[in-house]
Amino acid sequence: MATEQKDAGLFSGVATLPPDAIFLTKKKYLADTDAKKVNLGIGAYRDKDGKPQVLEVVKTAEKQLLELTQSGKQNKEYLGITGDLDYVRLTQQLILGKDCQRLSNGLVAGAQALSGTGSLRVLFDFMKGTVGKNANFKVLLSQPTWGNHQKIIGKAGLRFEYYTYWDASKRALALDTMLNDLRIKGNKGDVVLLHACAHNPTGVDPTEQEWAQIADVMKEKGLVPFFDSAYQGFASGDLAKDAFAVRFFEQRGFDFFIAQSYSKNLGLYCERAGCASIVTSSAEQAKACQTQLAAIIRPMYSNPPAHGARIVKQVLGGDGGLFDAWNKEMGGMSGRIIEMRKALRDELISLKTPGTWDHITSQIGMFSYTGLTPTQCDYITSTYHIYLLRNGRISMAGVAPGNVKYIAEAINAAVLNSK
């Protein structure tokens, strides 16, 4: 009997893709056995001892939710396709303000989504089927931007180009070049993805006056804002201050998009609590957009999980002073990062590290865009077991009183010994 020849298999032609850079950094860190290892790669808050932190306000909210379940006042039934609408309303109020007339008058469509990433994907899919049908439509992204933005836009089947954001020589916002790029590259109806606060990865935000100049150019060109809000309240410790840009553009009369996340400011990383919103010019438009959001979500993941949204609702809309307690804890997290920025800069100055390091304290939010080269980053990781992205971005949440001197020594050595 002839030997049956085994074929190569159905999946033999499937290509192996490179891993995500941020999660690969975390994987390498976890595998490292060095006692001094430090993870400055992933964007998740750590306390002064370098440990993950569950906020006290979240623990309290979860106790309250458990009591509601045990008493039969809460169950595990499916949410609607667009999620918990009370959660959506509270989340939109948080970013737009309770006095926003368009929100009060039903001009804002919205859906609970899977944190910031899910919100972005739902809204880009919305564009693909509606306002982005024009063959020339594109999304304009800051250069640099969060590494997942390009992937999400690409998976939604949309084109993107970059506008200049970062001045590497000054380690600051390149405002004039940014505005010029928007004028030259932007066409009427194109979407401009903007970081609402705490720009990732640079930590450099426009001032209020600079936001006004950006709005002027976008009005002039007919460009559509899309705010990615991942750090409201976490950046400065002030929810209203961090919402300035979004509220300013709303008051200027723009129709626009918002993606929100509670991963950072409430520490709900694994709960995937987010919101996708569309700010329109009429109740009829908002209703139409709402149907489109539901039509996108239903075949994608049907409906969102409830637990994270319920925690948010307890904090934002429940009794017992949880909202004030959250503001206090959020301010504590933001304040610790600001302290570590100063400590790291001071250590580098004390070591007489070549270059200027004031940008570490002038930047805001979770990350610092250090200006280190890929070679210098590799040197720091291989020599000091400090894990960071090769673009020089470090998570300031990973800097603590117990390791800040060690991190500064590593940066100093890299600058002196590597290019």
Side-chain angles (χ1 to χ4, degrees), residues 251-389:
Q251 289 160 9
R252 287 287 301 268
F254 284 92
D255 289 352
F256 61 101
F257 301 93
I258 314 170
Q260 290 169 266
S261 166
Y262 288 102
S263 291
K264 307 298 191 297
N265 56 14
L266 258 174
L268 298 179
Y269 302 101
C270 69
E271 301 296 353
R272 313 313 291 150
C275 185
S277 296
I278 306 172
V279 182
T280 76
S281 296
S282 73
E284 292 75 18
Q285 292 172 13
K287 183 178 179 180
C289 291
Q290 191 72 25
T291 65
Q292 293 285 340
L293 292 174
I296 291 164
I297 291 168
R298 175 60 171 154
M300 185 185 287
Y301 55 85
S302 190
N303 48 61
H307 188 66
R310 286 173 174 169
I311 294 172
V312 173
K313 275 178 62 178
Q314 286 297 110
V315 174
L316 267 61
D319 298 326
L322 291 187
F323 183 78
D324 290 340
W326 175 43
N327 273 273
K328 185 176 180 180
E329 279 198 270
M330 194 161 40
M333 291 191 292
S334 175
R336 193 189 79 75
I337 287 180
I338 291 170
E339 289 175 6
M340 288 300 98
R341 286 185 179 279
K342 184 178 184 301
L344 180 58
R345 183 202 62 182
D346 290 351
E347 289 287 353
L348 290 167
I349 292 173
S350 176
L351 290 167
K352 295 183 171 55
T353 306
T356 176
W357 300 98
D358 287 342
H359 59 285
I360 293 176
T361 50
S362 65
Q363 293 167 359
I364 192 171
M366 183 169 283
F367 302 110
S368 177
Y369 211 46
T370 60
L372 295 168
T373 68
T375 305
Q376 289 168 340
C377 294
D378 292 341
Y379 177 90
I380 289 171
T381 299
S382 62
T383 308
Y384 288 86
H385 302 268
I386 296 173
Y387 292 84
L388 67 163
L389 299 189

Side-chain angles (χ1 to χ4, degrees), residues 45-310:
Y45 184 76
R46 297 292 182 263
D47 64 18
K48 62 182 178 60
D49 299 316
K51 304 297 184 183
Q53 180 172 329
V54 179
L55 299 190
E56 292 302 318
V57 71
V58 170
K59 294 177 184 177
T60 301
E62 289 192 306
K63 288 178 182 177
Q64 294 174 350
L65 292 173
L66 181 59
E67 290 171 3
L68 289 172
T69 300
Q70 290 175 332
S71 67
K73 295 178 181 179
Q74 180 175 273
N75 56 48
K76 300 295 183 181
E77 290 290 299
Y78 291 120
L79 297 182
I81 296 172
T82 54
D84 185 321
L85 297 185
D86 288 333
Y87 161 87
V88 171
R89 175 182 55 81
L90 289 166
T91 300
Q92 291 172 336
Q93 284 181 351
L94 191 72
I95 193 75
L96 290 167
K98 291 183 178 180
D99 59 348
C100 176
Q101 290 299 305
R102 281 201 271 185
L103 188 55
S104 301
N105 294 332
L107 277 59
V108 183
Q112 179 187 339
L114 306 182
S115 200
T117 302
S119 301
L120 288 161
R121 180 59 191 270
V122 166
L123 290 171
F124 282 126
D125 275 16
F126 171 90
M127 292 176 207
K128 179 65 176 177
T130 56
V131 297
K133 283 186 174 181
N134 185 329
N136 295 319
F137 174 84
K138 61 182 175 296
V139 179
L140 293 169
L141 299 174
S142 67
Q143 178 64 278
T145 192
W146 179 46
N148 216 21
H149 279 149
Q150 301 94 321
K151 298 174 186 177
I152 298 167
I153 295 167
K155 287 294 185 181
L158 297 171
R159 292 192 309 116
F160 62 85
E161 292 183 23
Y162 295 101
Y163 59 86
T164 305
Y165 190 85
W166 172 251
D167 185 328
S169 62
K170 296 179 180 177
R171 297 181 181 177
L173 177 66
L175 180 67
D176 291 342
T177 312
M178 174 186 177
L179 297 178
N180 193 50
D181 281 356
L182 293 179
R183 289 189 183 99
I184 294 172
K185 297 181 178 181
N187 298 315
K188 184 176 182 180
D190 285 347
V191 167
V192 180
L193 188 60
L194 300 162
H195 299 225
C197 64
H199 183 274
N200 181 2
T202 69
V204 173
D205 287 351
T207 65
E208 293 185 5
Q209 293 74 24
E210 289 168 339
W211 276 121
Q213 294 180 64
I214 294 167
D216 288 342
V217 172
M218 291 183 65
K219 271 289 187 183
E220 170 194 325
K221 293 290 296 183
L223 303 175
V224 180
F226 185 169
F227 285 100
D228 185 354
S229 179
Y231 300 96
Q232 186 187 357
F234 188 93
S236 69
D238 185 326
L239 286 163
K241 183 177 180 180
D242 291 348
F244 169 81
V246 175
R247 296 178 187 182
F248 178 76
F249 274 67
E250 190 278 323
Q251 289 160 9
R252 287 287 301 268
F254 284 92
D255 289 352
F256 61 101
F257 301 93
I258 314 170
Q260 290 169 266
S261 166
Y262 288 102
S263 291
K264 307 298 191 297
N265 56 14
L266 258 174
L268 298 179
Y269 302 101
C270 69
E271 301 296 353
R272 313 313 291 150
C275 185
S277 296
I278 306 172
V279 182
T280 76
S281 296
S282 73
E284 292 75 18
Q285 292 172 13
K287 183 178 179 180
C289 291
Q290 191 72 25
T291 65
Q292 293 285 340
L293 292 174
I296 291 164
I297 291 168
R298 175 60 171 154
M300 185 185 287
Y301 55 85
S302 190
N303 48 61
H307 188 66
R310 286 173 174 169

Side-chain angles (χ1 to χ4, degrees), residues 396-411:
M396 291 304 303
V399 183
N403 64 24
V404 64
K405 187 176 181 66
Y406 181 67
I407 293 168
E409 290 170 351
I411 293 173

